[in-house]
Amino acid sequence: MSLALVFGLAGCATASASIPGEDAITIGVKIDQPGLGRKENGVFRGFEVDVGSYIARRLGASKVTFKEVRSDNREQKLEAHSVDLVLAPYSITPDRANLVTFAGPYYVAHQDVMVKRGDTRIRTIRDLNGRKMCQASGSVSTERVVNGLGIATNLVPASSYSDCVAKLRAGAVDAVSTGDLVLAGFAAPDVQILNVPFTDERYGVGMRKGDIDACEKVNRAITTMYQDGTASRLLRKWFGSSGLKLVEEVPQFEGCS
């Protein structure tokens, strides 16, 4: 299914109208990141699930379907038309923007560090030097530490951030570093976020490359989501008890290209 068909204006009375038979949108989300995207007993739940549903409804879809994506297959899922939109902690980067079109961001998170509670060896990002840090497959977060900041960590590969947190709890790694919303979803008595943010993580809505019309419509939906109070409500619903300082203003968009 093409987003151009779903969102096309031909034969439509308004921008939110849908062409009969093409009013369904499939959204790719993570299924193992508490707070953002998780599948429990066959039901998808999380902030990005709710945001994706809101955007799809604003675009006129009467049916919204969710499918699992991973950090290492988001582009492939879009190219294969397995999903139409991706909301799966998808940080907007120049390299990724060469492969997909991004709307948004719908939230600007900040990269931070999670360690086992009581670990006094790591207090700042620089303390990761020489420590074992988890590297989730397909994620760019470790690059920001190793290449961006020049910190010589010992990278330990993992399939996902849920796998990373499991390795942290088991003592296989000393730290996990990624966007604070991702880390907040894993918050528990035995682990803690250091609250030492050092980058911006612009979470975008990924779609097939070149679908500018759909991108602009998604941006308008995101703007409305913040203006009508839905964004604030959803952020507080999923992360209000995490201790993070939540940003409830409309993010500055990157521009569709």
Side-chain angles (χ1 to χ4, degrees):
M1 180 185 67
S2 169
L3 279 176
L5 288 175
V6 176
F7 305 137
L9 297 179
C12 297
T14 67
S16 63
S18 59
I19 299 173
E22 295 291 346
D23 59 349
I25 294 177
T26 302
I27 301 175
V29 296
K30 295 287 187 70
I31 66 168
D32 61 352
Q33 292 191 336
L36 285 167
R38 196 167 190 175
K39 190 176 182 181
E40 300 174 344
N41 300 319
V43 178
F44 290 87
R45 303 179 67 252
F47 174 69
E48 291 178 324
V49 174
D50 288 347
V51 170
S53 294
Y54 180 94
I55 290 171
R57 300 301 185 192
R58 294 291 304 182
L59 295 172
S62 61
K63 180 181 179 182
V64 184
T65 302
F66 292 95
K67 288 187 177 180
E68 176 192 3
V69 296
R70 303 187 310 271
S71 294
D72 59 1
N73 70 5
R74 291 174 290 205
E75 292 86 2
Q76 294 91 326
K77 292 289 187 179
L78 285 167
E79 291 171 4
H81 291 232
S82 177
V83 298
D84 301 306
L85 303 175
V86 170
L87 288 91
Y90 208 178
S91 296
I92 301 172
T93 68
D95 287 343
R96 288 172 175 169
N98 288 328
L99 302 175
V100 303
T101 289
F102 280 107
Y106 54 89
Y107 192 78
V108 179
H110 305 283
Q111 187 163 340
D112 213 307
V113 179
M114 174 176 278
V115 299
K116 292 185 75 170
R117 191 171 297 278
D119 186 347
T120 59
R121 300 171 302 165
I122 303 174
R123 299 178 183 273
T124 71
I125 186 67
R126 293 292 170 186
D127 293 333
L128 292 177
N129 191 64
R131 303 294 181 189
K132 291 180 291 184
M133 184 174 71
C134 194
Q135 182 178 34
S137 177
S139 174
V140 299
S141 295
T142 52
E143 295 178 14
R144 294 192 177 101
V145 176
V146 177
N147 299 328
L149 298 177
I151 297 173
T153 65
N154 298 315
L155 297 179
V156 177
S159 60
S160 64
Y161 278 110
S162 60
D163 188 17
C164 279
V165 175
K167 290 181 183 299
L168 177 63
R169 288 192 165 112
V173 299
D174 299 310
V176 179
S177 181
T178 189
D180 51 14
L181 283 191
V182 176
L183 297 177
F186 291 106
D190 60 332
V191 293
Q192 65 182 30
I193 301 173
L194 294 182
N195 283 311
V196 289
F198 57 94
T199 67
D200 290 338
E201 297 273 348
R202 300 182 299 279
Y203 291 159
V205 180
M207 60 194 70
R208 284 181 280 280
K209 184 65 177 176
D211 202 345
I212 306 304
D213 184 56
C215 176
E216 292 173 347
K217 288 180 172 64
V218 171
N219 279 345
R220 289 196 287 272
I222 294 171
T223 299
T224 302
M225 181 179 71
Y226 276 86
Q227 291 175 339
D228 68 13
T230 299
S232 293
R233 177 176 59 80
L234 294 179
L235 285 166
R236 293 172 186 175
K237 169 186 175 181
W238 292 106
F239 306 108
S241 62
S242 68
L244 291 178
K245 183 179 180 181
L246 299 169
V247 180
E248 300 180 13
E249 293 80 32
V250 183
Q252 181 176 349
F253 292 156
E254 297 291 317
C256 299
S257 61

